[in-house]
Amino acid sequence: MNFREAIQAARSESRQLATAYVSRDRSDILGNETLFHIPLIALTIILLARSRSKPKRDEIGMLIGICFEQSLAGFKGSSQELGWSANLRVRTVKALTFLEDTAMVVVNKHTSRIEATEKGQKFVDRVLSEQSHLCLSMLTIRRTYRNICKERDIEVKLDEI
């Protein structure tokens, strides 16, 4: 196939090119205002806390920032470092406090790890059973967190060598 045939095939088969950049005018993208809403952050904390590798309390703000940056379309390839955002960290502390007060998560006093309670797990299960943009975002965040944990494990093994 030559260049002209490729262009013709692209015109006839596709309406748009798939790129890493996603325009901001889409209605299903979680933007800045949505990102910093405490309910979204709280839901993400429960999601991470019910995984096999429980996040540490002092790392939760950074982890949520990294997960949002790597999994939400509006922040992929962004020049901002969400993991270092003071606004995100303050709201993460508020969300964690809310979750502890409502008994959806507990912080293990010995290991400082956040663990989802049965109530929190049921809540996340309900969200994940729906077919919505929020469910898709949560599944993507869960996969991103799992990848972050696996990357850390690999780095530790490489450092031992």
Side-chain angles (χ1 to χ4, degrees):
M1 176 181 283
N2 64 29
F3 182 73
R4 289 187 181 164
E5 290 172 344
I7 295 295
Q8 184 59 33
R11 283 185 183 150
S12 64
E13 294 177 13
S14 174
R15 293 180 184 226
Q16 62 184 357
L17 293 174
T19 62
Y21 174 77
V22 178
S23 65
R24 295 227 182 236
D25 59 345
R26 289 183 40 197
S27 63
D28 62 339
I29 290 179
L30 298 173
N32 266 342
E33 286 305 310
T34 307
L35 170 69
F36 292 113
H37 279 252
I38 292 176
L40 176 64
I41 296 169
L43 183 59
T44 305
I45 291 171
I46 299 171
L47 184 73
L48 301 185
R50 71 185 291 253
S51 65
R52 187 177 299 163
S53 178
K54 311 289 186 224
K56 287 187 176 180
R57 179 183 52 209
D58 56 347
E59 295 178 341
I60 193 68
M62 174 74 79
L63 283 172
I64 288 182
I66 292 169
C67 286
F68 282 1
E69 208 168 42
Q70 292 181 9
S71 58
L72 300 178
F75 295 95
K76 286 184 180 177
S78 174
S79 62
Q80 57 190 343
E81 290 280 331
L82 280 178
W84 295 103
S85 168
N87 191 12
L88 179 61
R89 287 181 180 225
V90 167
R91 293 191 181 195
T92 300
V93 170
K94 289 180 181 179
L96 183 58
T97 302
F98 166 76
L99 292 172
E100 286 181 292
D101 289 345
T102 58
M104 290 198 171
V105 299
V106 293
V107 178
N108 187 319
K109 292 179 183 176
H110 301 292
T111 62
S112 190
R113 299 223 180 245
I114 302 169
E115 301 170 359
T117 62
E118 187 175 332
K119 182 180 176 182
Q121 289 179 9
K122 285 181 182 180
F123 180 73
V124 171
D125 287 340
R126 264 186 273 141
V127 171
L128 295 178
S129 67
E130 298 173 2
Q131 293 184 357
S132 65
H133 291 295
L134 178 61
C135 174
L136 180 62
S137 295
M138 289 295 108
L139 291 171
T140 306
I141 289 169
R142 183 171 68 181
R143 185 184 65 223
T144 300
Y145 179 64
R146 187 180 63 231
N147 291 343
I148 290 168
C149 292
K150 289 185 186 258
E151 286 175 16
R152 284 183 177 178
D153 290 344
I154 291 170
E155 287 176 9
V156 167
K157 289 178 183 177
L158 287 175
D159 288 341
E160 291 175 357
I161 294 177

